[in-house]
Amino acid sequence: MKYDAIVVGAGLAGLVAAGEIADAGKQVLLLDQEPEASIGGQAWWSFGGLFLVNSPEQRRLGIKDSRELAWQDWLGAAGFDRDEDEDYWGRQWAEAYVSFAAGEKREWLRGMGIRFFPVVGWAERGGYLAEGHGNSVPRFHIVWGTGPAIVAPFEKRIREHMASGRLIYKPRHRVDRLLSSGDAIIGVAGIVLEPSTAARGEASSRVAIGDFEYEANAVVVTSGGIGGNHELVRQSWPSRLGTPPARMLSGVPAHVDGRMLGITEEAGGQIVNRDRMWHYTEGIKNWNSVWDNHGIRILPGPSSIWLDARGQRFPAPNFPGFDTLGTLETIQKTGYDYSWFILTQKIIEKEFALSGSEQNPDLTGKSVRQVLSRALPGASGPVQAFMDKGEDFIVANHLAELVAGMNRLTGENLLDYASIERQLIARDREIDNKFTKDLQITALRGARSYIGDKLIRVAPPHKLLDPKNGPLIAVRLNIVSRKTLGGLQTDLSARVLNAAGDAIPGLYAAGEASGFGGGGMHGYRALEGTFLGGCLYSGRVAGRAIARELG
């Protein structure tokens, strides 16, 4: 049987694209190498943050945003500098996406039943000048129900089309090559993997029990990036970010391995911006791992003191939550692949959140009562579990005891108690006045002028060494692999381009495999909330373009 379209990858972008094509009355085949338990891919595990511009949620909080301000911020973050080739399409995708985020994105999602938490988060604050990197205003809209609630309406649509016979979904089908005729892509071929009972995110068998070959008028690659393949991450690591980490945690399961990128490249697709990537610096080893080397990212407020492996405070603006890649570069150039937070009980109670749907059962479960309990004394349940069981946390009543525990944890004895004490005493002196030369304290006071941060995100400024604010807490922070910012270059219809810049007939790409659009719509840096949004938007563009092409 020949299908109208084949979608390779059942993550969020794949679900959106397949749904759009089937909505147009076309026959769709959806393939994925993982078991059905993993439908929705990485989106299911996400915190559910989406980048929206000038939303009702922003306006209710007194935030003045606009498409013009968002585009200014995007350009400051992206730093496009390859306009003649690798950034040519990425920049156009970026401009279209910002318009989408400032326009119909919210209502489109609301029409599918998606709702948002009323307090808008302020991610990637930047810390530079107005035209530099960072969000000028809070734009991180958390979906009520987190990642599973984003996946749900698109999975529902897929299953409705499955019931009608419009769409066929085949998990455990691994694509190994794209079929071609002349210069056109006409289908896919690969192997059928044995059935697996692996739960979502767990490693599944690679034992083959058969093979397959399917033809279609269009093939869409939505297979994700390379974050689970640390060897490939290191091969692509740019010198501007220092030496690749010898040790990394994995923010995605092992099946996020980049296989389809290589397969599509062999078929003629052009990959651009390989050196652009997005990894987090505030990673902790999951005490209850789902996949091997499972890392969880701390979503920090701005108050924790950030020290390098030798115990020296990082310079401005390397503060928690300000510039992910700027801090990654700073850390890697120290010669070590880890760093430290030092904070107090007061800070962890208000400022620590953990990324991931499973680490936020209150938001994921849509429990108003549990969300309100975050205002009660004590760390949240998931954070407390890491304090009690996580290997990267140290809790102590006195600084000397804390530093000794930090040295024991690494076994390297790099930290000098007197030096750390001096830095914390100096920092605490700056709390005595409401004005200060310490830019981190200026930043946290400024953050509290935003009502959302003051209510639930930023602790009142206080002295770290005052016992009444304790106990003291240290957290070893590891690098966590996550997103691929480059990818298959696509035009504004999501058609994959070859090395000559021409569209390959029958071949499309969306999601992380396409750099979220154009081979890298983020440029060098992201503003956060734009990865899920990029999957939604590029999947929609690809699906609608194919439906139009098929007529």
Side-chain angles (χ1 to χ4, degrees):
M1 174 182 178
K2 183 174 182 178
Y3 296 89
D4 290 312
I6 296 172
V7 178
V8 183
L12 183 60
L15 297 184
V16 175
E20 291 287 342
I21 300 167
D23 282 353
K26 307 303 178 184
Q27 194 74 30
V28 183
L29 175 62
L30 175 61
L31 303 176
D32 196 281
Q33 68 178 355
E34 294 307 302
E36 189 168 350
S38 285
I39 193 169
Q42 302 320 299
W44 192 93
W45 294 103
S46 74
F47 191 40
L50 289 173
F51 178 90
L52 296 175
V53 178
N54 192 26
S55 69
E57 289 79 14
Q58 287 175 301
R59 294 194 294 271
R60 281 194 290 269
L61 292 167
I63 299 166
K64 297 179 181 179
D65 200 6
S66 66
R67 186 202 175 280
E68 292 73 24
L69 181 61
W71 182 234
Q72 170 185 299
D73 289 347
W74 194 287
L75 289 176
F80 295 120
D81 58 5
R82 302 167 182 172
D83 289 344
E84 298 303 315
D85 44 43
E86 294 183 275
D87 283 337
Y88 179 80
W89 288 105
R91 183 184 179 113
Q92 293 184 62
W93 270 87
E95 191 164 8
Y97 176 70
V98 171
S99 294
F100 176 62
E104 64 179 307
K105 179 180 178 182
R106 181 180 180 277
E107 288 308 307
W108 175 59
L109 294 173
R110 280 183 59 83
M112 295 184 180
I114 291 174
R115 298 294 182 265
F116 298 97
F117 188 64
V119 179
V120 183
W122 196 351
E124 287 295 300
R125 301 171 190 234
Y128 303 94
L129 301 181
E131 291 185 296
H133 170 62
N135 286 293
S136 296
V137 297
R139 297 191 177 104
F140 193 77
H141 295 67
I142 300 169
V143 169
W144 185 235
T146 68
I150 294 177
V151 171
F154 297 99
E155 180 182 352
K156 178 175 180 290
R157 182 165 63 160
I158 291 298
R159 297 199 181 278
E160 289 171 350
H161 286 305
M162 289 169 61
S164 71
R166 186 80 66 194
L167 183 147
I168 296 174
Y169 168 44
K170 291 182 179 288
R172 305 301 284 155
H173 281 59
R174 189 184 77 188
V175 172
D176 291 330
R177 60 191 176 95
L178 299 178
L179 304 178
S180 63
S181 176
D183 61 351
I185 298 300
I186 62 167
V188 300
I191 62 172
V192 181
L193 301 170
E194 69 177 355
S196 172
T197 59
R200 182 182 293 275
E202 292 180 353
S204 60
S205 166
R206 291 294 179 260
V207 174
I209 59 172
D211 52 26
F212 65 84
E213 189 171 297
Y214 299 113
E215 292 189 3
N217 294 311
V219 174
V220 194
V221 177
T222 58
S223 54
I226 67 172
N229 186 339
H230 288 185
E231 180 181 352
L232 194 52
V233 168
R234 292 187 182 98
Q235 288 177 13
S236 304
W237 193 272
S239 59
R240 66 177 177 275
L241 293 181
T243 304
R247 175 179 175 272
M248 275 186 289
L249 300 178
S250 189
V252 295
H255 66 253
V256 186
D257 56 11
R259 284 185 68 258
M260 276 306 300
L261 288 171
I263 291 166
T264 309
E265 187 176 28
E266 289 176 5
Q270 176 167 239
I271 296 176
V272 295
N273 300 310
R274 295 177 192 268
D275 62 322
R276 294 179 182 170
M277 53 187 67
W278 189 260
H279 307 300
Y280 290 114
T281 53
E282 313 97 328
I284 50 179
K285 182 71 181 292
N286 193 347
W287 63 270
N288 188 24
S289 294
V290 176
W291 53 82
D292 185 50
N293 201 31
H294 188 176
I296 297 292
R297 185 205 175 192
I298 295 169
L299 300 171
S303 299
S304 297
I305 297 299
W306 207 337
L307 304 176
D308 67 20
R310 292 188 173 275
Q312 298 303 305
R313 198 171 167 194
F314 285 124
N318 295 306
F319 309 138
F322 277 69
D323 180 1
T324 294
L325 288 196
T327 308
L328 176 59
E329 176 184 352
T330 301
I331 291 170
Q332 289 309 116
K333 289 182 177 178
T334 66
Y336 297 88
D337 48 26
Y338 68 92
S339 58
W340 295 97
F341 276 169
I342 290 182
L343 59 151
T344 64
Q345 180 69 22
K346 281 189 176 180
I347 292 172
I348 206 167
E349 288 181 2
K350 193 155 189 177
E351 297 195 8
F352 263 41
L354 301 173
S355 183
S357 56
E358 82 284 14
Q359 299 297 331
N360 295 274
D362 50 353
L363 292 166
T364 301
K366 301 182 181 180
S367 170
V368 174
R369 181 183 60 80
Q370 287 185 342
V371 169
L372 291 175
S373 73
R374 292 193 181 208
L376 299 175
S380 68
V383 171
Q384 188 63 52
F386 271 92
M387 290 176 66
D388 295 339
K389 304 173 185 179
E391 64 183 61
D392 295 305
F393 281 74
I394 300 161
V395 182
N397 289 317
H398 304 287
L399 183 61
E401 178 187 355
L402 189 79
V403 174
M406 295 161 74
N407 277 324
R408 280 195 304 272
L409 179 60
T410 64
E412 296 185 288
N413 292 315
L414 298 176
L415 303 174
D416 177 68
Y417 164 71
S419 173
I420 293 176
E421 182 188 42
R422 187 197 74 246
Q423 293 176 79
L424 297 189
I425 289 173
R427 179 264 183 205
D428 282 358
R429 288 191 185 111
E430 300 292 316
I431 294 292
D432 287 334
N433 296 290
K434 290 187 177 181
F435 42 87
T436 174
K437 70 177 181 181
D438 189 308
L439 291 180
Q440 184 175 7
I441 296 173
T442 296
L444 68 91
R445 290 191 190 280
R448 284 176 60 83
S449 65
Y450 164 49
I451 187 64
D453 274 352
K454 185 173 183 177
L455 288 175
I456 66 171
R457 195 71 178 110
V458 181
H462 60 270
K463 295 188 175 184
L464 302 181
L465 297 181
D466 188 334
K468 71 181 181 183
N469 298 319
L472 289 166
I473 301 163
V475 187
R476 179 178 59 182
L477 306 173
N478 308 276
I479 308 303
V480 181
S481 67
R482 189 62 69 91
K483 295 297 180 186
T484 310
L485 297 188
L488 294 164
Q489 193 170 39
T490 59
D491 65 13
L492 288 177
S493 293
R495 299 181 300 175
V496 176
L497 308 180
N498 61 23
D502 300 321
I504 299 173
L507 184 59
Y508 297 76
E512 193 173 350
S514 67
F516 303 93
M521 75 170 187
H522 292 93
Y524 286 93
R525 282 179 165 93
L527 291 173
E528 289 287 19
T530 56
F531 301 129
L532 287 172
C535 288
L536 291 167
Y537 181 63
S538 60
R540 192 176 91 145
V541 167
R544 293 185 178 185
I546 290 169
R548 287 195 304 271
E549 181 68 22
L550 295 176

